Amino acid sequence: MGATGEQIGPARSRERFLVGETIADGVRSPILNSWLRCQSLGLSPDQTELPYRDDFDPDSRLVHAAGPVLDRLASRFGGSRMNVCLADGNGTVLQRRFGEPGLARTLPPIQAVPGFVFAERFAGTNGIGLALAERRLVKVYGAEHFAERSQSNACSATPIRDQLSGHIVGVLCLGYPHGYEAPALAVLVRRAAEGIERRLMEQRSARERALLRTYLEAGHLAHDGAAPGDGPLMGLDQLGDSGLDHSDQTLLKEKATELICSPQRAAVEVALPHGRGVTLLSTPLTSRSGVEGVVVEAVFTGEPPAEHHLSVPARAGPPPAAAPGAAPGTTPGTARGRGLVLVGEPEVGKYAIAARRRLELLAEASTRIGTTLDVTRTARELAEMAVPRLADYVTIDVPESVLRGEESADPRSELYRAVLHGIRDDCPFYPAGEGVELRAATPHMRCLDSGHAVLEPDLKQAVGWIDQEPEHARRILAHKVHSLVCVPLLARGVLLGIASFYRSEDPAPYGDDDSRLAQELAARAALCIDNARRYTREHNLALALQQSLLPRGVPEQGAVEVAHRYLPAASGAGGDWFDVIPLSGTRVALLVGDVVGHGLHAVATMGRLRTAARNFAELELAPDELMTHLDNLLVRLDREEGGDNDPDSTGIAGATCLYAVYDPTTRQCTMARAGHPPPALVHPDGRVTFPELPAGPPLGLGGLPFETAEIGLPEGSTLVLYTDGLVEDRHRDIDVALDQLSHVLARPDRSPQDTCRAVMDAMAPEHPGDDIALLVARTRTVPADRIASWDVPADPAQVAGVRAAATRRLADWGLEELAFAVELMLSELVTNAVRYGTEPIRVRLVHDRTLICEVSDGSNTAPHLRRAASTEEGGRGLFLVAQLAHAWGTRYTARGKVIWAECTLDAA
């Protein structure tokens, strides 16, 4: 934005903010958050006083490193009103430079003299304070400053970091009038800060070189009377009989780094591969310039250390005594030489170890986060990885919509605590399972608004966090929680929530290295959470589609008493299905099937097969013919979806199916199966058998025949159909499962509902790997006195006798009011059979839920309903039957066909 825009927009927003209005736009998020913090701190915009410190070190390492850089900046801006400022990590100004030297005399001391503290909690929104709060390069223009005294200025500021530790050690800030604003200033201040950081590293290198020089001048360190220069000093690649290879040297340097962390004398024995032994000796060292450090030497003995000495903890005091002329720490006759491993300062060793541990944590996280496709479990894996190596407590909050597999429209307003994990259970964080509300200016809300990590090194100074709920914050602080890193969970541009890392046991506050590690962990976890979210969405879609394609209830029919259960797999919706289909003549079809695979593709294929099976059943096809049609359908679908030609196509994997038709008038059940487990038959006496049915090939192979089996079912039998998920499991043998199923079913007195419940309770695993469909049908029988049948000779004169006999039987059943309609229908159907069919001709009446009239003959020629012209004498018989009957149709048998018509008993 230009200077004018910055002066007008922020100025109006600031005025509205100061009078208590809500600011939704017109000001940048970091500035608004800073204003909110200033307001919480009780700062006044017109205050002019700042704390002054006269105890700052004007000769510090930072000042020495920054001096030449500040001089170059002052020279570059010579003659301008540019103000170059260097502050330490607490916001105290250490040095100032001016483009125009006389400018220092015209400015108030607060803007010209070192020693004033510009931390945000004292000075309000300003370049130095905001750079420390945001921990990144910032710009502040005119009215964006909280204090009135800075309204006419602009500034660009960036943190200065110790490149080894990552800690912020200072701030470089350029102050200038509005008219000086240019995009190049941000680049300039960042490069200048990098120059200071490089010079700080050079200072550290110089100290290490001084330590090394002191070590070399001494020849080698003398211990217990050993004179300098005793023993051969060599490089690690020359140590031992044939030298140490790269892996040996790396191992020794890792151990040496740990020794450097402690400025004490110590000896550690290290076992190398191939049975070789090395003793590491660490000794404090002070250079001529007063730099204190540690030197670590390796003494090669050639013998493996004793088993109880393989890892001796560092100990204070001199190393073990050595014979004259031998390297320190060796025993007579075993020394093979000594070499320098590392020289450094203790702090450097600590940073190196911390860096290695961070890398180890990230490497472990890549294998331990994302082991499942569950959003909550993945979030918990992130927390478990971080505690206790990075944090003492971790909270992870995600929108509830993410748990359902959706993207959140506003992640800030529907947060839900998914995970709380820590080293103790009594810390008063809000528990998992509750909603989370966040206020503006809290670290969590700043993190969500900006999409960047927010670091709060000292929670006692985090006014936005404290003001959210002061009493709750005090309880947390009472448990020694003192530092916080908030990290957004971002994946593929989608904000999935926020992870918060709290520290209590380690007295050191979080630093930028910790923040970067938390971001790296969160980034890996966020990708896994997003994968789990996408899977959850697809899983929910598949379940919803599956539920819509499965039967929602059992249709009315009188042949069987039915109950069913369906349990989807824990890993995803599959293609199992079941169906109950009423057929003509009081019969019923029972169907179970299983499409191979899981997911939307399997569910969609299941829907196609179930719809096709219902349509084929309505055509009154025999079970083996129905299987053949389903097999052909699956082959055709596979071909149409490119299964043979498209390498990227999933194709149709195949399916299994069991189809049974039960006739309650004959108690006969006709069944065929396509690679499906056989049904279980529970006899009235409690005996359980598995009928031997021809197995048949699975659907989708094409061209192979199916066979039908017919068995008689005693009255009161129970037929149990199921899919393989009930009995097939990697943890148990199928024969054992079938025996267990037999034991559960051996209770014929139970209702189908109770049987379903008992089977699922006993057989279904807690987390099934495959879908389970269960269909339990207890058979019923139509009493013989409710069935009447007559054989009819092929003589039209016999039609009248059939009508009369039917009328008498209807009278016996109390259905006299149906007599007229039945007489007309039978007259038409029997006449057609006599004229156009072949013998044998048979008439049957069945009094069940409806009155069923059937006329069968030996011909396969079916009549067709047509509209007769006004001039035609015939063609109206079937039309009349269709008008009088509730339903009518034709089914084929092995010996001909049956034309049937149903009349509802309500008509009586």
Side-chain angles (χ1 to χ4, degrees):
M1 236 179 335
T4 303
E6 288 295 344
Q7 288 174 327
I8 296 176
R12 292 179 177 175
S13 298
R14 182 173 174 278
E15 291 175 1
R16 292 169 52 202
F17 174 81
L18 292 176
V19 298
E21 294 186 22
T22 301
I23 307 298
D25 52 19
V27 62
R28 293 180 291 138
S29 176
I31 301 299
L32 179 57
N33 288 329
S34 180
W35 289 355
L36 290 168
R37 292 193 295 270
C38 295
Q39 189 179 61
S40 299
L41 289 165
L43 298 180
S44 173
D46 56 1
Q47 71 180 64
T48 58
E49 298 298 326
L50 288 181
Y52 178 79
R53 298 183 56 182
D54 56 7
D55 59 346
F56 69 90
D57 184 2
D59 200 33
S60 66
R61 289 176 49 211
L62 177 60
V63 172
H64 274 285
V69 177
L70 298 180
D71 291 340
R72 286 197 298 269
L73 288 174
S75 175
R76 176 165 185 168
F77 295 116
S80 70
R81 298 182 61 81
M82 185 69 71
N83 183 344
V84 183
C85 174
L86 175 71
D88 65 14
N90 297 316
T92 303
V93 175
L94 304 178
Q95 290 278 300
R96 285 190 182 273
R97 299 286 192 278
F98 300 94
E100 181 181 328
L103 185 61
R105 295 189 295 271
T106 64
L107 293 175
I110 199 173
Q111 295 180 0
V113 178
F116 287 97
V117 182
F118 280 82
E120 189 181 66
R121 64 181 182 274
F122 301 121
T125 308
N126 70 94
I128 295 174
L130 192 59
L132 290 173
E134 294 290 324
R135 308 183 75 82
R136 58 191 174 96
L137 190 147
V138 298
K139 292 185 177 183
V140 184
Y141 305 102
E144 290 182 336
H145 289 87
F146 190 75
E148 299 284 353
R149 64 175 177 272
S150 303
Q151 297 294 298
S152 60
N153 298 323
C155 60
S156 296
T158 190
I160 300 171
R161 289 178 169 84
D162 183 323
Q163 291 183 346
L164 187 61
S165 67
H167 295 161
I168 293 178
V169 296
V171 176
L172 179 63
C173 180
L174 300 183
Y176 45 86
H178 273 291
Y180 283 36
E181 170 57 27
L185 284 177
V187 178
L188 179 65
V189 70
R190 179 63 263 174
R191 289 180 177 174
E194 291 171 353
I196 298 174
E197 292 170 354
R198 285 194 299 271
R199 290 181 58 81
L200 284 171
M201 281 301 295
E202 291 170 0
Q203 289 181 1
R204 188 181 297 278
S205 299
R207 293 197 306 275
E208 291 182 352
R209 287 196 297 271
L211 289 171
L212 179 60
R213 187 180 304 111
T214 302
Y215 169 76
L216 295 175
E217 288 175 353
H220 69 81
L221 296 180
H223 299 289
D224 295 336
D230 288 346
L233 179 62
M234 58 189 70
L236 290 182
D237 57 343
Q238 300 171 318
L239 196 61
D241 295 333
S242 57
L244 301 180
D245 60 22
H246 178 72
S247 60
D248 294 337
Q249 296 180 39
T250 301
L251 177 60
L252 291 178
K253 288 179 180 178
E254 289 181 357
K255 296 293 185 182
T257 303
E258 297 176 5
L259 289 175
I260 287 180
C261 293
S262 177
Q264 297 175 336
R265 288 188 176 186
V268 173
E269 294 177 344
V270 181
L272 298 177
H274 312 297
R276 295 176 296 177
V278 170
T279 300
L280 293 181
L281 305 175
S282 70
T283 307
L285 184 68
T286 303
S287 71
R288 292 179 178 180
S289 59
V291 177
E292 296 181 352
V294 177
V295 60
V296 179
E297 295 177 292
V299 179
F300 184 78
T301 63
E303 300 293 335
E307 182 176 354
H308 64 285
H309 286 158
L310 290 182
S311 181
V312 180
R315 58 183 182 273
T330 65
T331 57
T334 61
R336 303 289 183 85
R338 65 186 182 82
L340 174 65
V341 183
L342 282 179
V343 174
E345 298 175 84
E347 289 298 318
V348 177
K350 292 179 182 178
Y351 296 147
I353 290 177
R356 188 174 76 237
R357 289 174 178 170
R358 285 193 290 268
L359 291 175
E360 291 172 350
L361 179 60
L362 290 175
E364 187 177 348
S366 63
T367 61
R368 288 186 53 189
I369 297 178
T371 60
T372 68
L373 287 172
D374 179 82
V375 172
T376 303
R377 179 58 199 161
T378 303
R380 184 161 190 85
E381 288 170 347
L382 167 61
E384 290 172 348
M385 279 301 306
V387 175
R389 286 185 281 182
L390 174 61
D392 297 306
Y393 300 95
V394 175
T395 63
I396 300 179
D397 307 320
V398 300
E400 290 191 70
S401 57
V402 171
L403 298 176
R404 299 191 298 267
E406 305 165 4
E407 293 184 10
S408 174
D410 186 6
R412 301 173 299 177
S413 63
E414 55 168 1
L415 283 177
Y416 171 91
R417 177 137 299 168
V419 173
L420 168 61
H421 183 60
I423 57 175
R424 295 168 55 185
D425 296 330
D426 60 346
C427 197
F429 290 100
Y430 290 124
E434 294 188 1
V436 178
E437 295 184 5
L438 300 175
R439 287 176 50 186
T442 60
H444 309 78
M445 185 60 77
R446 289 158 52 199
C447 175
L448 291 172
D449 286 339
S450 66
H452 299 291
V454 172
L455 170 60
E456 287 287 358
D458 187 0
L459 283 176
K460 293 180 181 178
Q461 304 296 330
V463 290
W465 177 75
I466 294 175
D467 287 348
Q468 168 91 356
E469 288 188 61
E471 184 58 35
H472 182 62
R474 279 193 290 271
R475 291 199 300 269
I476 293 177
L477 292 172
H479 281 71
K480 301 181 180 179
V481 177
H482 60 81
S483 195
L484 164 67
V485 177
C486 296
V487 184
L489 297 173
L490 282 167
R492 302 181 180 96
V494 178
L495 183 59
L496 303 171
I498 182 173
S500 303
F501 303 84
Y502 296 86
R503 176 172 285 177
S504 63
E505 297 299 307
D506 189 343
Y510 278 129
D512 286 314
D513 279 351
D514 300 307
S515 177
R516 282 191 286 269
L517 176 59
Q519 291 177 64
E520 188 68 27
L521 283 175
R524 298 186 183 199
L527 191 60
C528 296
I529 290 173
D530 192 48
N531 290 337
R533 178 190 67 83
R534 289 167 175 248
Y535 167 80
T536 301
R537 179 182 60 187
E538 181 176 333
H539 178 65
N540 291 340
L541 287 174
L543 285 178
L545 178 60
Q546 183 186 63
Q547 293 299 319
S548 68
L549 294 175
L550 288 173
R552 300 195 176 187
V554 178
E556 293 185 5
Q557 46 78 39
V560 292
E561 180 186 357
V562 179
H564 57 83
R565 291 289 188 278
Y566 193 97
L567 181 63
S571 59
D576 291 18
W577 86 94
F578 64 91
D579 214 341
V580 178
I581 308 171
L583 301 178
S584 64
T586 71
R587 298 171 307 138
V588 66
L590 305 174
L591 178 69
V592 291
D594 181 5
V595 175
V596 176
H598 294 87
L600 286 172
H601 187 262
V603 173
T605 303
M606 175 271 286
R608 290 172 165 181
L609 284 178
R610 178 178 175 247
T611 301
R614 261 193 105 80
N615 292 334
F616 293 147
E618 295 286 350
L619 294 176
E620 303 280 1
L621 296 179
D624 56 339
E625 294 180 10
L626 183 139
M627 291 296 181
T628 300
H629 281 77
L630 289 180
D631 184 48
N632 292 336
L633 172 65
L634 213 54
V635 171
R636 187 166 60 253
L637 289 175
D638 187 37
R639 187 181 303 117
E640 290 174 355
E641 293 190 9
D644 296 334
N645 303 318
D646 186 359
D648 297 327
S649 173
T650 56
I652 303 296
T656 65
C657 185
L658 172 63
Y659 182 71
V661 177
Y662 173 68
D663 188 342
T665 64
T666 63
R667 299 198 304 273
Q668 293 296 310
C669 185
T670 307
M671 291 181 278
R673 64 182 178 129
H676 201 84
L681 177 59
V682 184
H683 295 262
D685 59 1
R687 183 167 49 93
V688 179
T689 60
F690 295 91
E692 292 291 336
L693 304 180
L699 301 177
L701 297 181
L704 298 176
F706 298 91
E707 298 181 54
T708 297
E710 187 171 304
I711 60 175
L713 301 182
E715 184 175 356
S717 301
T718 299
L719 198 62
V720 180
L721 285 71
Y722 52 88
T723 55
D724 58 4
L726 184 69
V727 295
E728 292 187 9
D729 191 294
R730 69 180 65 180
H731 302 296
R732 60 181 175 181
D733 186 82
I734 187 171
D735 292 332
V736 175
L738 291 176
D739 289 342
Q740 184 181 3
L741 179 61
S742 299
H743 180 74
V744 176
L745 293 176
R747 288 279 304 276
D749 56 323
R750 283 190 300 225
S751 66
Q753 288 286 357
D754 292 339
T755 300
C756 278
R757 188 178 302 110
V759 169
M760 297 301 285
D761 289 345
M763 302 288 295
E766 184 177 357
H767 301 289
D770 193 7
D771 288 23
I772 298 175
L774 177 65
L775 187 62
V776 177
R778 175 179 290 175
T779 62
R780 295 170 176 166
T781 302
V782 178
D785 60 359
R786 292 292 188 100
I787 304 173
S789 59
W790 301 273
D791 292 326
V792 181
D795 182 1
Q798 300 298 319
V799 175
V802 172
R803 290 200 305 266
T807 300
R808 289 193 296 272
R809 182 51 62 94
L810 291 176
D812 294 340
W813 290 341
L815 301 177
E816 295 90 345
E817 294 186 13
L818 292 177
F820 176 73
V822 171
E823 286 184 6
L824 287 178
M825 290 189 295
L826 286 179
S827 179
E828 292 296 333
L829 296 178
V830 174
T831 299
N832 282 342
V834 170
R835 285 184 177 180
Y836 307 112
T838 60
E839 293 184 311
I841 301 173
R842 187 174 181 82
V843 174
R844 188 174 75 156
L845 296 182
V846 180
H847 180 198
D848 193 45
R849 295 171 54 254
T850 61
L851 179 65
I852 302 171
C853 304
E854 296 180 345
V855 177
S856 61
D857 66 79
S859 170
N860 289 324
T861 303
H864 297 283
L865 181 66
R866 66 185 180 89
R867 182 179 296 277
S870 58
T871 57
E872 293 180 329
E873 296 183 1
R876 296 176 178 82
L878 284 181
F879 180 79
L880 180 63
V881 171
Q883 297 301 309
L884 294 173
H886 171 68
W888 76 280
T890 303
R891 71 174 181 268
Y892 294 94
T893 66
R895 295 181 296 273
K897 67 177 182 295
V898 177
I899 302 176
W900 56 270
E902 290 186 9
C903 294
T904 61
L905 300 184
D906 294 342

